[in-house]
């Protein structure tokens, strides 16, 4: 058992002073407010938030950070660079890179990540031996970095759609993304072993990469696991799917029975009014990735409308060009301000919910809240840094950055203390992992 005494903490979206949080077996077992610390308590100064959730990540994209900004381009030309990187990874280099990237996430205050994983096979398209070598690398990397993981194991069956909606074969890079069939995907997935900090989830890469006639088979294989899909990130995706089927991607997912509380639509940048109605009416989740969506010039998603319709909003770092949960939640609000000409499109409490409990929910964990019974995941933020000094505690997440996180607790275990991750200098780990890839 560990007891944390917090100078201040967020309980039910409000800041409370002098809070004792008791942890046993990785869960919060008691919360007391307005009490003095005892001698054996671990003291957390500043503001303690619930663990922050990164509901959508591709860890290996981190190796492109700061390397793709010359020469213009768009999402599709960036994707060519990303494919070049994907070609170079094997289980060892994937483990090294993902460990460093997950550690960067923990250092920034993320306590759980949904890794949307599609590098399943060798670069030539043949299976590894064992067939789960790449999945095992991700699970081991998360354990080493001390972050909770939902491995969103993605189904990927075709190379995409032409502008007129014709199915395209897998290209040389995409061959390693595909198991070849829903059945082979299920068999490989079910052979993955998970430790105490990790659990399975599934994903449809997108309506581009999976034929719509396979969606029902995915629904049958889902078994109550979290199910994520890239949805309508680019207008060209919508146009191609409409040309092929007369439906939007969201309408296709709805017809196959995939929407619902276990479903998360990632990006959802270019939704129709009916898409918003379908996602909201089924209590689905929508995961925005503001720092990626601006980096890739995707556009601004309809966050306000999606929330009003009844969907749950979560946040993800996606391509990891930025790893900062505060930047993502601010991006959600600031994008909506720019698009509407109005401030306060979300309340501070709604933004924190998107960054914490809604993200945990999307990934299948009961956490992201400082209450009895929840996972004992805590993030302590300085309120005296140049960025946060003077901020109200119940708005501090609109002022803080990842650099203000000084302590991170995952399941009652301190992974970051004194602003240092237990693995040491994370910048050096990342430099070594990226350097190895040339
Ligand atoms: Zn993604």
């Amino acid at each position: 058992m560990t007891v944390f005494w917090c100078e201040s903490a967020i309980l039910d979206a409000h800041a409370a002073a002098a809070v004792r949080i008791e942890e046993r077996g990785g869960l919060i077992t008691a919360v007391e407010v307005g009490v003095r610390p005892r001698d054996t308590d671990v003291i957390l100064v500043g503001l303690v938030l619930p663990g922050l959730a990164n509901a959508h990540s591709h860890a290996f994209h981190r190796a492109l950070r700061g390397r793709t900004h010359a020469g213009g381009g768009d999402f599709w030309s960036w994707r060519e660079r990303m494919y070049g990187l994907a070609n170079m990874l094997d289980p060892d280099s994937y483990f090294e890179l993902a460990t460093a990237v997950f550690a960067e996430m923990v250092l920034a205050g993320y306590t759980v990540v949904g890794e949307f994983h599609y590098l399943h096979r060798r670069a030539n398209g043949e299976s590894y031996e064992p067939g789960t070598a790449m999945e095992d690398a991700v699970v081991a990397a998360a354990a080493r970095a001390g972050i909770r993981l939902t491995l969103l194991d993605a189904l990927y069956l075709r190379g995409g759609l032409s502008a007129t909606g014709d199915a395209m074969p897998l290209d040389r890079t995409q061959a390693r993304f595909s198991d070849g069939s829903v059945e082979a995907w299920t068999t490989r997935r079910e052979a993955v072993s998970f430790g105490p900090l990790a659990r399975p989830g599934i994903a449809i890469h997108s309506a581009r990469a999976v034929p719509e006639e396979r969606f029902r088979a995915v629904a049958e294989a889902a078994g109550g696991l979290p199910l994520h899909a890239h949805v309508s990130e680019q207008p060209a995706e919508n146009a191609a799917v409409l040309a092929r089927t007369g439906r939007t991607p969201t309408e296709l997912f709805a017809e196959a029975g995939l929407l619902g509380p276990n479903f998360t639509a990632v990006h959802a940048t270019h939704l129709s009014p009916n898409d918003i109605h379908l996602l909201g009416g089924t209590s689905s989740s929508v995961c925005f990735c503001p720092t990626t969506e601006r980096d890739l010039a995707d556009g601004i998603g309809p966050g306000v409308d999606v929330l009003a319709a009844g969907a749950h909003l979560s946040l993800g770092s996606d391509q990891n060009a930025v790893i900062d949960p505060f930047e993502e939640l601010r991006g959600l609000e600031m994008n909506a301000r720019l698009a509407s000409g109005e401030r306060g499109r979300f309340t501070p409490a709604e933004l924190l919910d998107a960054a914490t409990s809604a993200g945990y929910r999307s990934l299948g964990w009961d956490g992201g809240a400082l209450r009895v019974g929840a996972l004992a995941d805590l993030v302590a933020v300085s309120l005296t840094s140049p960025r946060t000094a003077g901020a109200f505690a119940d708005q501090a997440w609109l002022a803080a950055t990842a650099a203000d996180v000084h302590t991170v607790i995952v399941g009652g275990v301190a992974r970051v203390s004194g602003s240092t991750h237990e693995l040491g200098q994370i910048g050096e780990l990342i430099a070594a992992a990226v350097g190895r890839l040339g």
Side-chain angles (χ1 to χ4, degrees), residues 102-137:
F102 290 151
E104 183 188 354
M105 289 181 193
V106 178
L107 192 61
Y110 284 124
T111 47
V112 62
V113 60
E115 178 66 16
F116 195 110
H117 164 76
Y118 54 89
L119 295 182
H120 302 309
R121 294 189 165 208
R122 295 177 190 275
N124 66 5
E126 291 175 8
S127 181
Y128 280 104
E129 183 56 49
T132 58
M134 293 296 266
E135 291 70 35
D136 296 343

Side-chain angles (χ1 to χ4, degrees), residues 56 58 230 267 318:
H56 186 72
H58 309 282
H230 291 123
H267 298 303
D318 192 5

Side-chain angles (χ1 to χ4, degrees), residues 18 37 46 94 143 186-187 249 264 266-267 293 304 310 316 325 336 340 369:
Y94 197 31
T186 302
T187 300
T264 296
V266 179
H267 298 303
E293 288 147 11
V304 173
S340 68

Side-chain angles (χ1 to χ4, degrees), residues 134-321:
M134 293 296 266
E135 291 70 35
D136 296 343
V138 178
V139 173
R144 181 147 171 73
I147 195 167
R148 256 178 234 292
L149 168 75
T150 298
L151 183 66
L152 298 161
D153 195 311
L155 177 65
Y156 202 112
L157 294 176
R158 69 182 175 198
L161 296 173
S162 70
T164 51
D166 296 318
M168 300 196 292
L170 297 163
D171 69 19
R172 283 182 58 188
T173 298
Q174 292 164 332
R176 76 179 311 187
F177 305 165
S178 179
D179 293 292
S181 69
V182 174
E183 294 71 25
W185 167 70
T186 302
T187 300
R188 181 189 47 70
R189 246 181 344 94
E190 291 182 346
V192 178
S193 298
F194 294 91
L197 280 185
R199 62 176 45 176
I202 59 174
I204 291 174
H205 179 278
S206 59
R208 288 181 276 120
V210 177
E212 58 277 7
E213 57 270 21
R214 306 307 293 148
F215 289 177
R216 283 200 180 276
V218 175
E220 286 162 17
L225 295 174
L227 167 59
H228 288 217
H230 291 123
V231 176
S232 299
E233 181 174 4
Q234 286 281 326
E237 172 184 334
N238 282 356
V241 172
L242 271 168
R244 181 176 184 81
T245 67
R247 309 277 196 280
T248 65
T250 299
E251 287 168 350
L252 291 176
F253 292 134
E255 286 179 9
L258 292 167
L259 303 190
N262 293 329
F263 181 79
T264 296
V266 179
H267 298 303
T269 313
H270 301 282
L271 296 182
S272 71
N274 189 46
D275 293 341
I276 294 170
H277 170 74
L278 290 169
L279 290 164
T282 52
S283 293
S284 296
S285 290
V286 174
C287 179
F288 289 107
C289 306
T291 67
T292 289
E293 288 147 11
R294 72 190 188 202
D295 185 82
L296 297 181
D298 288 341
I300 297 174
V304 173
D305 295 341
V306 160
L307 188 65
H312 301 270
L313 282 188
S314 55
L315 292 163
S317 65
D318 192 5
Q319 57 148 327
N320 297 308

